[in-house]
Amino acid sequence: MAGFVVSYHPFFSPTPRLYSPSPSPSIPSVTQCKGWGRGVLMLPLKCLPKQTPDSDTASSSSSSPSISAYSWCAGLGGLGFLETTYLTYLKLTNSDAFCPIGGGTCSDVLNSDYAAVFGVPLPLIGMAAYGLVTILGLQLAGKNVPFGIGETNGRLLLLGTTTSMSAASAYFLYILSTQFPGASCSYCLVSALLSFSLFFTSLKDFQLKDIQKTVVLQLCIASLVVATLSTSYNTLPVSTSLAEIDLQPFTVEITTQSSPLALSLAKHLRSIGAKMYGAFWCSHCVEQKQMFGREAAKLLDYVECFPNGYRKGINMDKACSAARIEGFPTWVINGEVLSGEQEFSELARASGFDFDSSSQT
């Protein structure tokens, strides 16, 4: 908006008179109009809104909390990505994790049936989720959201991802407390802490009215995650009769004496690398050992498939899983698999033991 300041020339009549400026673009910034002995100077001025020295600072600082929140999301997501990458490597290589807290119970949880969702290793899913959060956090912090989705949609995608992660972590904590009572899994607790921290950090960037608009979407995402996990775990091949069994490992004393034939056969089986796979609660395994006798049974290369006991969610020892053991006892001799109790003659045949000459002596 423009205005005019009226100034009187000392040599003209003091009677003021205003003249509207000509719309011609050639009007100078200072115009002197004369007429009938009178003159007036008209100075066009622009009216600017009032500015405060802190206005620029306030506008620039208003975006700093979101940048800080996105940076936190990127950092926390990076930590989770490193943890799940390590666990994925252990899962794919069938290796035991180093558990600073919890000892063997930590490995039991990580190697249980609950460590996969519809056959997909859970650490692999977590690695993908943490990787997505890390990328979104870095891109949003740099105001460079990929795929042209825009900052608003990027924020919603970040919130939806962290919502699903926190819902899954809450469900896993429930599984840990109900299916593994007394067990401790440091990796599970760290992942849950990171997921909850990411959720609240991403939620902090939203105002109250924005949260009210997205609360229905968040509840739908959380419900979908819980329903998916429940469906996956309800299909686990665990019979109802074994659901409440919790067996601690124990040993059964072998009371029979070993014959010379049993001793010779046991030494031969061990020399060629034959293995007998069994379980501490398997009565047929005990009967097979009784057949060999006390001295010869100690010479057998026996593999216990449940060294830490048996309860719901606990997998077999990795050596038994690698051998694809389906029942007990199971013999693996020169690549041949023999299921159930075996007579000495059958063990001799599979191992190439001269049964006739040994029995005559």
Side-chain angles (χ1 to χ4, degrees):
M1 182 177 67
F4 296 93
V5 175
V6 180
S7 175
Y8 297 98
H9 197 280
F11 298 101
F12 295 95
S13 171
T15 302
R17 180 175 296 178
L18 287 178
Y19 293 87
S20 299
S22 172
S24 173
S26 61
I27 296 177
S29 59
V30 179
T31 304
Q32 181 178 12
C33 300
K34 298 179 180 180
W36 295 358
R38 303 176 186 84
V40 61
L41 293 178
M42 292 172 290
L43 305 179
L45 300 177
K46 292 184 177 180
C47 299
L48 300 177
K50 180 180 179 180
Q51 294 185 357
T52 60
D54 295 336
S55 59
D56 294 338
T57 304
S59 61
S60 62
S61 63
S62 61
S63 61
S64 59
S66 60
I67 296 178
S68 177
Y70 297 148
S71 300
W72 272 106
C73 287
L76 295 174
L79 292 177
F81 182 80
L82 292 177
E83 180 197 16
T84 50
T85 300
Y86 170 67
L87 295 179
T88 301
Y89 168 77
L90 296 179
K91 190 71 175 179
L92 296 179
T93 58
N94 199 24
S95 304
D96 291 331
F98 169 72
C99 301
I101 301 176
T105 59
C106 178
S107 297
D108 292 341
V109 175
L110 296 175
N111 295 324
S112 68
D113 293 334
Y114 294 97
V117 178
F118 292 111
V120 181
L122 191 58
L124 184 60
I125 300 176
M127 185 175 68
Y130 281 117
L132 177 61
V133 169
T134 303
I135 294 175
L136 286 175
L138 291 174
Q139 296 296 327
L140 288 171
K143 303 296 182 181
N144 184 24
V145 184
F147 310 117
I149 61 176
E151 183 178 359
T152 301
N153 293 330
R155 292 167 64 224
L156 290 175
L157 180 59
L158 179 62
L159 180 61
T161 305
T162 56
T163 299
S164 62
M165 294 170 64
S166 60
S169 295
Y171 187 85
F172 293 141
L173 291 178
Y174 166 76
I175 293 293
L176 183 63
S177 61
T178 56
Q179 303 300 327
F180 303 92
S184 177
C185 178
S186 54
Y187 296 102
C188 307
L189 298 178
V190 170
S191 182
L193 178 62
L194 290 175
S195 298
F196 292 140
S197 300
L198 284 170
F199 170 69
F200 288 112
T201 301
S202 60
L203 190 64
K204 179 183 177 183
D205 189 51
F206 287 80
Q207 297 180 357
L208 181 59
K209 61 179 181 180
D210 296 329
I211 296 176
Q212 294 175 347
K213 294 179 181 179
T214 60
V215 65
V216 176
L217 177 62
Q218 291 174 295
L219 291 176
C220 291
I221 293 176
S223 301
L224 180 62
V225 169
V226 173
T228 302
L229 294 176
S230 300
T231 304
S232 174
Y233 294 147
N234 287 336
T235 60
L236 292 178
V238 178
S239 61
T240 307
S241 59
L242 297 178
E244 303 300 329
I245 292 180
D246 186 358
L247 295 178
Q248 299 300 320
F250 58 86
T251 57
V252 178
E253 182 181 0
I254 306 302
T255 58
T256 58
Q257 296 290 329
S258 298
S259 64
L261 175 60
L263 288 171
S264 299
L265 180 58
K267 291 178 182 178
H268 175 73
L269 291 172
R270 189 175 186 88
S271 65
I272 65 172
K275 295 182 182 298
M276 174 186 171
Y277 296 88
F280 64 91
W281 42 263
C282 171
S283 59
H284 296 287
C285 301
V286 176
E287 292 175 0
Q288 184 77 86
K289 293 179 181 180
Q290 293 284 10
M291 185 183 300
F292 276 90
R294 182 171 53 251
E295 296 81 4
K298 295 179 180 179
L299 299 176
L300 297 175
D301 191 357
Y302 174 76
V303 180
E304 173 58 53
C305 292
F306 292 92
N308 297 320
Y310 178 84
R311 61 180 177 272
K312 181 180 178 181
I314 297 297
N315 285 338
M316 291 190 298
D317 185 76
K318 62 180 182 179
C320 301
S321 299
R324 300 182 181 276
I325 303 301
E326 298 179 354
F328 309 110
T330 296
W331 290 89
V332 178
I333 305 174
N334 293 332
E336 182 179 359
V337 179
L338 303 175
S339 300
E341 294 181 56
Q342 303 297 322
E343 297 292 337
F344 283 172
S345 58
E346 184 63 20
L347 294 174
R349 180 201 63 78
S351 63
F353 180 71
D354 191 354
F355 181 77
D356 295 331
S357 60
S358 299
S359 60
Q360 292 176 0
T361 59

